[in-house]
Structure formats: C-alpha cells, structure tokens
Amino acid sequence: MLSTESVLESAADQSCIRLEPLVNTHLSGKTTTTGGSCVVFTDGSTKVTANDIEDRILRITGYYGYNPGYSSHRREDGSESHAETPGSETSEESRSYQTCTHTALKVLGGLLLVLCVSSSWVGTTQVVKLTFQSFSCPFFISWFSSNWNILFFPIYYSGLVVTTREKQTPIQKFRECSKLFGEDGMTLKLFVKRTAPFSILWTLTNYLYLMALKKLTATDVSALYCCHKAFVFLLSWIVLKDRFMGVRIVAAIMAITGIVMMAYADGFHGDSFVGVALAVGSASTSALYKVLFKMFLGSANLGEVAHFLSTMGFFNLIFISCVPLILYFTKVEHLGSLSSLPWGYLCGLAGLWLVFNILVHVGVVLTYPILISIGTLLSVPGNAAVDVLKHEVIFSVVRLAATCIICLGFLLLLLPEEWDSVTLRFLATIADKKTEEHGEELTDSSVHTRSRSRANGTVSIPLA
C-alpha cells in the first residue's frame, strides 16, 4: 500500500507541464513575483499567456483598484476575485431591501395593532356602560373578568406551537417559565408572596375604573386613566431612580392640571368629583402595579409574563372569590340568581378585556412599545365619538380643554430620553444644509455677475 508522500512524488515525476509564478526582472537587482502564471515546458522554454500580458499592462498603467493576478479573464471564468462585483452589490442591495421590508412590515403591523388596541379598549369601556344598565355590580364584573387571565398561558402556548412547532409539553413549558419566581421554581410561599400584591393592585385598578364609569362618561374616564403615564414617571423617578427629564415634569403638571379642570367642570361636589377621584385612583394603582412589575419582574420575557398573568388569574379565583360572596350576603351588590345574570355582556366584556391585555403584552414584543401607548391614547377620541353619536353626550368647553391637556401631556411622556440631543442634532443638520445652499447660491450669483460684467467690458465685484 502506497503512502501519501510516494503517491505525490510519482505524480510529480510523470507530469510534463507545471505552473510557476512568473518572475519579473524589470528592475535591476530585484525580482518580484506577479500573480500571473506562465506555462513552463520540460525543455525550459517559456510561453507567455494572454492573462500575463493583461496583468503586466494593468500594472504598468497603474489601473485603479488593480490587484496582480486578478485580470478580467479570471473574473470572467469565475475567479476568486474579492473586489467589488455585481454579485456583491446585488447581495448588499438585497440585504438593504430585506431590512427595509422588515421595518415596513413592523410599522404596518404596529399600526394595525394600534387600531386593535384602541378598538378593544373602546369596546370594553362601552360594554361596561351597557352592562351597568341591567347589572350594577362592579366588583363582581371585575372579579369575573380577572378570572379570564387564566387563559393567557394556554393561548400563548397555542400560538407558540403554531409559529415555532414547540416540542415541549405545556407542563414542561410552564415549569420553564416558572423560573420567574426563582431558580427552584414556584412554591406555595412564593406563589402567595409574589402574586398577592399584583393581584390586589390589578383588582383595585379594574374595580375603581368600573366605579368611575358609573359616575362619568366613558370619554372622561378614559382621558383621566391616561394620567397613569405621568404617575408611572413620577414613581419611577422617585423609587427606581430613573433619569430626570424636565419635559416629563411638564407633562405630569399638565396631567394634574387636566384632573383639576375635569373636577371643576361641574363644581367640586356631587358625582362628578367622586368620579374624577375614582378614575385618578384607578390610574394611580395602575401606575404602582407597573412600577412594581418593572422593579421585580422587569426582565421577564413573553412566556414568563403569560405565566405570571395566568398565575394571577388562579390567585384571583382561589383567594379573592370570597369578596363577591361577602358583598352579596351584605347586600352591597345585588347579584340575583345565576340565570338572571347578563352572561352575554359579562362574557363579551371579559373577552374584550382579555384581548386588550394580550395585544398590549404581545405588541410590546412584536412591534414598537410607543405604538401600544398611542393605541391606548386613541381610545379617548374613540369613546368621544361613541358618546356623541350614540349617547348624545354634550361636552362642555372646560371638559374638552381638560381632555386635550391630558392627552398632550400623555404625548409628551412618550418622548424618548435622548429626544433633546436628537432634536439639536437634527436642527444643526438643517442649519448646515441651509448654509451650504446659501453659499452655493452666492457663488452662482457672483459667477453670473462677473460673466455679465465681462460681457459689458466692466468688472464688478459683489459685496456679499
């Protein structure tokens, strides 16, 4: 059996033609090896190919971008040339096209998601108003709707199976996501310790929001609820030590001004003042919930959030079910028989509330979070349109001004942290472009003036 070295040696002895680097001797005392090749026969004679001639011509003339040994013949033959080729330009264009397409699809999906978020929130608020016409039990409605959060994780797992063909079982995925509670997973102690505060804040937010809808119109309540963004900033600045931003302080002041104007619209008495207080309380508990969530569970992914919301649904079903019973036996809320309950309105309300929560949490992952906030803000004009067209509500000037101030403050809170530096750079760029255009106009006018002066036999120097 022949070894590898012996096979290579025998092959070299039998060959009569071999390729060598061409030695360039155009400078005395120096030899350089070019990238071209020639054919050397066994008798020592050398034959120069057309490839070598083209390489020499390109080298002598100093052709821009020329690399020895990479002539047009090699490029046409499918060479290893790494210079710019139409293929590389095409690949760059295709990558940029894919990036632009991905961004456009993300923006379009975000706009569609904005409409879905605002529509679901407007639908939820309006269905609550319809439910109150025949069933006025806000805590039972809040408790019943919160129980539907149990479906959050099954819906998430179903979507995961459809999109990624998940191979884990639901129990395995649930245990994996339960690491949100700690490395050892979820225990009974951690279940109560971590879930109880958030579940209570969630229930209070919904209950106060429903109570406010009994006192005020849907437009007023949705506008006042938008103040939670200002409360989130204030709490984050105080508790989480977030960056101080003057524009957000201005937005918080505008939100407080809108609240005072809303309370003053009908005087500081009666149902109007109580409704404003309830709506502000709902916004405050919502802000506290979000700040605590950011503090303890800020790094959670979508699966862990779905797990957490389903866990809150279980906690609500197990531990908070006693509250509706207490309210029923104390006759604070008159439920009546089970057959007399408006199950259509209740299920529709709970379903819309669940859809809204799913869209908010999934939308933050799939698209830009600012679009989700804009979707919540658009619920204010949406509710206003429904109130005017269906309920024939007439808004006073003070209420309209308060709503506009709150919405403007909400928009200011959406500005990114680096908005001031980005704005200054943008203005500086615009100023530089205007200066360049002005300089070009002056140069063109001076050239035109000189040419006209020479034609008249005189020389004129512009003063500019």
Side-chain angles (χ1 to χ4, degrees), residues 138 181 200 217 253 448:
F181 292 89
I200 293 172
T217 63
I253 295 173
H448 179 67

Side-chain angles (χ1 to χ4, degrees), residues 34 93 114 136 156 164 239 258 316 381 430 463:
T34 67
E93 291 178 357
V114 164
S136 181
Y156 160 76
T164 62
V239 178
N316 184 80
I430 294 177
L463 297 178

Side-chain angles (χ1 to χ4, degrees), residues 259 295 302:
I259 292 171
M295 181 186 296
L302 182 59

Side-chain angles (χ1 to χ4, degrees), residues 84-399:
E84 288 189 6
T85 60
S88 62
E89 295 178 357
T90 304
S91 62
E92 292 180 358
E93 291 178 357
S94 63
R95 284 195 298 268
S96 62
Y97 176 76
Q98 292 176 356
T99 303
C100 294
T101 304
H102 177 70
T103 304
L105 291 176
K106 190 174 182 180
V107 172
L108 291 176
L111 294 177
L112 180 62
L113 198 62
V114 164
L115 296 177
C116 294
V117 168
S118 59
S119 301
S120 61
W121 191 236
V122 170
T124 301
T125 305
Q126 295 297 329
V127 171
V128 170
K129 298 290 287 186
L130 293 175
T131 307
F132 280 158
Q133 294 177 3
S134 58
F135 184 73
S136 181
C137 298
F139 194 91
F140 179 83
I141 295 174
S142 174
W143 170 81
F144 181 77
S145 301
S146 298
N147 289 336
W148 283 50
N149 284 337
I150 298 174
L151 301 176
F152 205 107
F153 186 82
I155 293 174
Y156 160 76
Y157 182 79
S158 301
L160 195 66
V161 170
V162 173
T163 55
T164 62
R165 297 180 181 178
E166 180 66 34
K167 296 182 179 179
Q168 290 180 311
T169 62
I171 297 177
Q172 291 175 343
K173 190 65 179 179
F174 190 83
R175 290 177 178 174
E176 178 184 339
C177 295
S178 64
K179 293 181 180 179
L180 177 70
F181 292 89
E183 294 296 331
D184 297 333
M186 183 175 61
T187 61
L188 181 60
K189 181 180 179 180
L190 288 176
F191 170 72
V192 176
K193 182 180 179 180
R194 289 291 182 89
T195 310
F198 294 99
S199 183
I200 293 172
L201 288 174
W202 182 284
T203 303
L204 278 177
T205 299
N206 296 340
Y207 176 67
L208 293 175
Y209 188 85
L210 296 178
M211 287 291 293
L213 285 173
K214 293 182 66 176
K215 307 292 184 180
L216 300 174
T217 63
T219 305
D220 295 340
V221 176
S222 59
L224 290 169
Y225 183 75
C226 289
C227 294
H228 78 276
K229 198 78 174 177
F231 299 152
V232 167
F233 162 68
L234 294 175
L235 288 174
S236 299
W237 177 40
I238 297 171
V239 178
L240 301 181
K241 307 300 181 182
D242 282 0
R243 178 186 173 186
F244 173 81
M245 292 181 62
V247 67
R248 294 187 178 178
I249 290 293
V250 174
I253 295 173
M254 293 177 68
I256 296 173
T257 304
I259 292 171
V260 175
M261 291 178 64
M262 193 76 72
Y264 176 75
D266 296 330
F268 294 96
H269 61 275
D271 291 343
S272 178
F273 181 75
V274 175
V276 171
L278 292 171
V280 173
S282 176
S284 302
T285 53
S286 175
L288 183 58
Y289 170 87
K290 292 181 179 181
V291 171
L292 291 178
F293 190 92
K294 184 179 179 181
M295 181 186 296
F296 295 106
L297 310 171
S299 59
N301 54 33
L302 182 59
E304 292 172 342
V305 171
H307 177 281
F308 185 74
L309 291 176
S310 294
T311 305
M312 280 204 311
F314 277 111
F315 184 91
N316 184 80
L317 180 62
I318 296 172
F319 294 100
I320 303 183
S321 298
C322 59
V323 179
L325 294 176
I326 294 174
L327 295 177
Y328 172 73
F329 287 114
T330 56
K331 297 183 179 181
V332 176
E333 291 188 353
H334 302 279
L335 300 179
S337 61
L338 294 178
S339 60
S340 63
L341 295 179
W343 291 111
Y345 284 136
L346 291 175
C347 293
L349 169 61
L352 285 172
W353 219 323
L354 178 64
V355 169
F356 172 76
N357 290 322
I358 291 175
L359 290 176
V360 168
H361 290 90
V362 174
V364 172
V365 178
L366 298 181
T367 184
Y368 305 101
I370 189 174
L371 296 178
I372 307 302
S373 300
I374 293 175
T376 305
L377 180 63
L378 289 179
S379 64
V380 178
N383 281 313
V386 176
D387 287 341
V388 171
L389 297 176
K390 186 175 181 180
H391 303 291
E392 298 180 354
V393 177
I394 299 176
F395 298 100
S396 63
V397 178
V398 178
R399 288 186 180 276

